[in-house]
Amino acid sequence: ASVATADAWLANVLPRIMALPGYQNGGAIVILFDEAYGAESSVPAIVVSESVRGRGADLTVFDHRSYLAAVQDLLGLPRLPVTQGVPSIGRGMP
C-alpha cells in the first residue's frame, strides 16, 4: 500500500489503541515498517509509550530480534538463543 494509505490507517487506529486501558496503564505501541528487502536492509520502527524514558530518535541499529528481545524482557521471559546479546528496543522502558 502507499504511504498515504498507511498514514490514514494509523490515523484511524492509533487513537483507538491509545484509548484502551492496556495502553493507558503503561502499555506501548510498536510500529514496524517491514518493507525492506534483503538481510541487511534497514527497517524503521516507532515505539509510542508514555513509559519510554528519553524522547527522540535512537540511532542504535536494531532488527527484528530486537523487537523479540523487548517482548521477552518486558514479560520477564528468558532470552531465546537468537536474542542473546541483541539490543532491545524496550531498553528505555521501565
Side-chain angles (χ1 to χ4, degrees):
S2 69
V3 172
T5 299
D7 186 51
W9 184 84
L10 284 171
N12 180 42
V13 172
L14 276 179
R16 294 188 297 177
I17 295 172
M18 293 172 81
L20 295 171
Y23 176 78
Q24 301 224 345
N25 293 316
I29 300 167
V30 179
I31 303 167
L32 295 173
F33 295 85
D34 192 8
E35 297 299 326
Y37 298 97
E40 299 300 320
S41 298
S42 296
V43 179
I46 298 171
V47 178
V48 181
S49 175
E50 291 294 324
S51 300
V52 173
R53 293 187 192 117
R55 303 287 191 251
D58 186 334
L59 300 179
T60 303
V61 177
F62 298 109
D63 60 24
H64 285 84
R65 297 172 304 154
S66 300
Y67 173 73
L68 179 57
V71 171
Q72 293 167 351
D73 293 349
L74 291 170
L75 294 176
L77 300 171
R79 289 277 190 103
L80 295 171
V82 72
T83 57
Q84 294 293 324
V86 172
S88 167
I89 63 172
R91 67 183 176 188
M93 301 170 85

